[in-house]
PDB file of all heavy atoms in Angstrom:
ATOM      1  N   TYR A 255     132.203 184.618  51.583  1.00  0.00           N
ATOM      2  CA  TYR A 255     132.585 184.025  52.873  1.00  0.00           C
ATOM      3  C   TYR A 255     133.710 184.871  53.440  1.00  0.00           C
ATOM      4  O   TYR A 255     134.783 184.964  52.848  1.00  0.00           O
ATOM      5  CB  TYR A 255     133.034 182.582  52.662  1.00  0.00           C
ATOM      6  CG  TYR A 255     132.997 181.761  53.936  1.00  0.00           C
ATOM      7  CD1 TYR A 255     131.791 181.337  54.461  1.00  0.00           C
ATOM      8  CD2 TYR A 255     134.170 181.416  54.582  1.00  0.00           C
ATOM      9  CE1 TYR A 255     131.754 180.578  55.622  1.00  0.00           C
ATOM     10  CE2 TYR A 255     134.146 180.660  55.746  1.00  0.00           C
ATOM     11  CZ  TYR A 255     132.921 180.246  56.259  1.00  0.00           C
ATOM     12  OH  TYR A 255     132.877 179.497  57.407  1.00  0.00           O
ATOM     13  N   CYS A 256     133.457 185.483  54.577  1.00  0.00           N
ATOM     14  CA  CYS A 256     134.405 186.479  55.076  1.00  0.00           C
ATOM     15  C   CYS A 256     134.855 186.185  56.501  1.00  0.00           C
ATOM     16  O   CYS A 256     134.045 185.806  57.349  1.00  0.00           O
ATOM     17  CB  CYS A 256     133.759 187.863  55.051  1.00  0.00           C
ATOM     18  SG  CYS A 256     133.139 188.332  53.427  1.00  0.00           S
ATOM     19  N   GLN A 257     136.145 186.362  56.727  1.00  0.00           N
ATOM     20  CA  GLN A 257     136.694 186.237  58.081  1.00  0.00           C
ATOM     21  C   GLN A 257     136.796 187.624  58.683  1.00  0.00           C
ATOM     22  O   GLN A 257     137.376 188.522  58.075  1.00  0.00           O
ATOM     23  CB  GLN A 257     138.079 185.603  58.031  1.00  0.00           C
ATOM     24  CG  GLN A 257     138.038 184.104  57.803  1.00  0.00           C
ATOM     25  CD  GLN A 257     139.440 183.562  57.671  1.00  0.00           C
ATOM     26  OE1 GLN A 257     139.925 183.373  56.573  1.00  0.00           O
ATOM     27  NE2 GLN A 257     140.080 183.333  58.788  1.00  0.00           N
ATOM     28  N   VAL A 258     136.225 187.750  59.862  1.00  0.00           N
ATOM     29  CA  VAL A 258     136.170 189.064  60.493  1.00  0.00           C
ATOM     30  C   VAL A 258     136.672 188.944  61.932  1.00  0.00           C
ATOM     31  O   VAL A 258     136.360 187.968  62.614  1.00  0.00           O
ATOM     32  CB  VAL A 258     134.717 189.603  60.523  1.00  0.00           C
ATOM     33  CG1 VAL A 258     134.708 191.080  60.854  1.00  0.00           C
ATOM     34  CG2 VAL A 258     133.994 189.340  59.217  1.00  0.00           C
ATOM     35  N   SER A 259     137.459 189.911  62.372  1.00  0.00           N
ATOM     36  CA  SER A 259     137.783 189.944  63.791  1.00  0.00           C
ATOM     37  C   SER A 259     137.190 191.204  64.402  1.00  0.00           C
ATOM     38  O   SER A 259     137.089 192.241  63.753  1.00  0.00           O
ATOM     39  CB  SER A 259     139.288 189.846  64.025  1.00  0.00           C
ATOM     40  OG  SER A 259     139.931 190.879  63.347  1.00  0.00           O
ATOM     41  N   PHE A 260     136.770 191.057  65.637  1.00  0.00           N
ATOM     42  CA  PHE A 260     136.072 192.129  66.341  1.00  0.00           C
ATOM     43  C   PHE A 260     136.726 192.367  67.696  1.00  0.00           C
ATOM     44  O   PHE A 260     136.989 191.416  68.426  1.00  0.00           O
ATOM     45  CB  PHE A 260     134.620 191.722  66.633  1.00  0.00           C
ATOM     46  CG  PHE A 260     133.770 191.432  65.427  1.00  0.00           C
ATOM     47  CD1 PHE A 260     133.638 190.134  64.956  1.00  0.00           C
ATOM     48  CD2 PHE A 260     133.088 192.453  64.783  1.00  0.00           C
ATOM     49  CE1 PHE A 260     132.827 189.862  63.864  1.00  0.00           C
ATOM     50  CE2 PHE A 260     132.276 192.188  63.690  1.00  0.00           C
ATOM     51  CZ  PHE A 260     132.149 190.891  63.226  1.00  0.00           C
ATOM     52  N   THR A 261     136.955 193.615  68.029  1.00  0.00           N
ATOM     53  CA  THR A 261     137.393 193.965  69.379  1.00  0.00           C
ATOM     54  C   THR A 261     136.168 194.381  70.188  1.00  0.00           C
ATOM     55  O   THR A 261     135.415 195.243  69.756  1.00  0.00           O
ATOM     56  CB  THR A 261     138.415 195.119  69.335  1.00  0.00           C
ATOM     57  OG1 THR A 261     139.511 194.706  68.515  1.00  0.00           O
ATOM     58  CG2 THR A 261     138.936 195.451  70.726  1.00  0.00           C
ATOM     59  N   LEU A 262     135.979 193.725  71.319  1.00  0.00           N
ATOM     60  CA  LEU A 262     134.778 193.957  72.115  1.00  0.00           C
ATOM     61  C   LEU A 262     134.911 195.194  72.997  1.00  0.00           C
ATOM     62  O   LEU A 262     135.994 195.488  73.510  1.00  0.00           O
ATOM     63  CB  LEU A 262     134.502 192.728  72.988  1.00  0.00           C
ATOM     64  CG  LEU A 262     134.326 191.418  72.222  1.00  0.00           C
ATOM     65  CD1 LEU A 262     134.185 190.247  73.188  1.00  0.00           C
ATOM     66  CD2 LEU A 262     133.119 191.488  71.295  1.00  0.00           C
ATOM     67  N   LYS A 263     133.786 195.905  73.121  1.00  0.00           N
ATOM     68  CA  LYS A 263     133.705 197.083  73.998  1.00  0.00           C
ATOM     69  C   LYS A 263     132.467 196.915  74.887  1.00  0.00           C
ATOM     70  O   LYS A 263     131.497 196.313  74.460  1.00  0.00           O
ATOM     71  CB  LYS A 263     133.539 198.356  73.162  1.00  0.00           C
ATOM     72  CG  LYS A 263     134.714 198.658  72.230  1.00  0.00           C
ATOM     73  CD  LYS A 263     135.753 199.522  72.911  1.00  0.00           C
ATOM     74  CE  LYS A 263     136.898 199.909  72.007  1.00  0.00           C
ATOM     75  NZ  LYS A 263     137.793 198.783  71.676  1.00  0.00           N
ATOM     76  N   PRO A 264     132.516 197.484  76.094  1.00  0.00           N
ATOM     77  CA  PRO A 264     131.340 197.347  76.966  1.00  0.00           C
ATOM     78  C   PRO A 264     130.266 198.389  76.653  1.00  0.00           C
ATOM     79  O   PRO A 264     130.593 199.525  76.344  1.00  0.00           O
ATOM     80  CB  PRO A 264     131.926 197.603  78.351  1.00  0.00           C
ATOM     81  CG  PRO A 264     133.072 198.531  78.106  1.00  0.00           C
ATOM     82  CD  PRO A 264     133.625 198.195  76.743  1.00  0.00           C
ATOM     83  N   LEU A 265     129.000 197.987  76.706  1.00  0.00           N
ATOM     84  CA  LEU A 265     127.889 198.952  76.653  1.00  0.00           C
ATOM     85  C   LEU A 265     127.684 199.526  78.050  1.00  0.00           C
ATOM     86  O   LEU A 265     127.270 200.661  78.224  1.00  0.00           O
ATOM     87  CB  LEU A 265     126.607 198.270  76.184  1.00  0.00           C
ATOM     88  CG  LEU A 265     126.482 197.950  74.695  1.00  0.00           C
ATOM     89  CD1 LEU A 265     125.237 197.145  74.422  1.00  0.00           C
ATOM     90  CD2 LEU A 265     126.476 199.232  73.869  1.00  0.00           C
ATOM     91  N   GLN A 266     127.945 198.691  79.031  1.00  0.00           N
ATOM     92  CA  GLN A 266     127.916 199.103  80.435  1.00  0.00           C
ATOM     93  C   GLN A 266     128.734 198.066  81.192  1.00  0.00           C
ATOM     94  O   GLN A 266     129.124 197.054  80.606  1.00  0.00           O
ATOM     95  CB  GLN A 266     126.488 199.157  80.959  1.00  0.00           C
ATOM     96  CG  GLN A 266     125.801 197.787  80.957  1.00  0.00           C
ATOM     97  CD  GLN A 266     124.389 197.866  81.500  1.00  0.00           C
ATOM     98  OE1 GLN A 266     123.524 198.483  80.893  1.00  0.00           O
ATOM     99  NE2 GLN A 266     124.158 197.257  82.649  1.00  0.00           N
ATOM    100  N   ASN A 267     129.010 198.323  82.443  1.00  0.00           N
ATOM    101  CA  ASN A 267     129.795 197.350  83.186  1.00  0.00           C
ATOM    102  C   ASN A 267     128.972 196.078  83.398  1.00  0.00           C
ATOM    103  O   ASN A 267     127.767 196.133  83.555  1.00  0.00           O
ATOM    104  CB  ASN A 267     130.243 197.930  84.519  1.00  0.00           C
ATOM    105  CG  ASN A 267     131.658 197.495  84.839  1.00  0.00           C
ATOM    106  OD1 ASN A 267     132.222 196.605  84.178  1.00  0.00           O
ATOM    107  ND2 ASN A 267     132.243 198.089  85.856  1.00  0.00           N
ATOM    108  N   SER A 268     129.634 194.940  83.353  1.00  0.00           N
ATOM    109  CA  SER A 268     128.925 193.669  83.510  1.00  0.00           C
ATOM    110  C   SER A 268     129.929 192.611  83.936  1.00  0.00           C
ATOM    111  O   SER A 268     131.136 192.803  83.845  1.00  0.00           O
ATOM    112  CB  SER A 268     128.298 193.252  82.178  1.00  0.00           C
ATOM    113  OG  SER A 268     129.321 192.968  81.242  1.00  0.00           O
ATOM    114  N   LYS A 269     129.399 191.490  84.373  1.00  0.00           N
ATOM    115  CA  LYS A 269     130.237 190.351  84.746  1.00  0.00           C
ATOM    116  C   LYS A 269     131.064 189.894  83.533  1.00  0.00           C
ATOM    117  O   LYS A 269     132.246 189.576  83.656  1.00  0.00           O
ATOM    118  CB  LYS A 269     129.325 189.215  85.240  1.00  0.00           C
ATOM    119  CG  LYS A 269     130.037 187.932  85.586  1.00  0.00           C
ATOM    120  CD  LYS A 269     130.673 187.962  86.959  1.00  0.00           C
ATOM    121  CE  LYS A 269     131.336 186.618  87.256  1.00  0.00           C
ATOM    122  NZ  LYS A 269     132.166 186.632  88.427  1.00  0.00           N
ATOM    123  N   THR A 270     130.434 189.891  82.363  1.00  0.00           N
ATOM    124  CA  THR A 270     131.133 189.495  81.141  1.00  0.00           C
ATOM    125  C   THR A 270     132.329 190.396  80.872  1.00  0.00           C
ATOM    126  O   THR A 270     133.423 189.928  80.585  1.00  0.00           O
ATOM    127  CB  THR A 270     130.166 189.523  79.936  1.00  0.00           C
ATOM    128  OG1 THR A 270     129.065 188.683  80.230  1.00  0.00           O
ATOM    129  CG2 THR A 270     130.846 189.045  78.673  1.00  0.00           C
ATOM    130  N   TRP A 271     132.116 191.692  80.986  1.00  0.00           N
ATOM    131  CA  TRP A 271     133.210 192.636  80.724  1.00  0.00           C
ATOM    132  C   TRP A 271     134.325 192.460  81.750  1.00  0.00           C
ATOM    133  O   TRP A 271     135.504 192.524  81.416  1.00  0.00           O
ATOM    134  CB  TRP A 271     132.692 194.079  80.728  1.00  0.00           C
ATOM    135  CG  TRP A 271     133.770 195.059  80.400  1.00  0.00           C
ATOM    136  CD1 TRP A 271     134.271 196.025  81.200  1.00  0.00           C
ATOM    137  CD2 TRP A 271     134.511 195.134  79.168  1.00  0.00           C
ATOM    138  NE1 TRP A 271     135.284 196.701  80.561  1.00  0.00           N
ATOM    139  CE2 TRP A 271     135.441 196.178  79.314  1.00  0.00           C
ATOM    140  CE3 TRP A 271     134.479 194.413  77.961  1.00  0.00           C
ATOM    141  CZ2 TRP A 271     136.343 196.529  78.302  1.00  0.00           C
ATOM    142  CZ3 TRP A 271     135.373 194.753  76.955  1.00  0.00           C
ATOM    143  CH2 TRP A 271     136.289 195.802  77.122  1.00  0.00           C
ATOM    144  N   GLU A 272     133.947 192.207  82.997  1.00  0.00           N
ATOM    145  CA  GLU A 272     134.916 191.950  84.055  1.00  0.00           C
ATOM    146  C   GLU A 272     135.775 190.728  83.703  1.00  0.00           C
ATOM    147  O   GLU A 272     136.996 190.761  83.838  1.00  0.00           O
ATOM    148  CB  GLU A 272     134.123 191.667  85.326  1.00  0.00           C
ATOM    149  CG  GLU A 272     134.767 192.029  86.624  1.00  0.00           C
ATOM    150  CD  GLU A 272     133.789 191.768  87.764  1.00  0.00           C
ATOM    151  OE1 GLU A 272     132.824 192.546  87.930  1.00  0.00           O
ATOM    152  OE2 GLU A 272     133.982 190.754  88.448  1.00  0.00           O
TER     153      GLU A 272
END
Side-chain angles (χ1 to χ4, degrees):
Y255 199 74
C256 304
Q257 283 176 262
V258 194
S259 57
F260 299 94
T261 302
L262 302 175
K263 297 270 183 289
L265 284 174
Q266 64 179 66
N267 219 349
S268 66
K269 176 81 178 169
T270 304
W271 183 244
E272 209 176 286

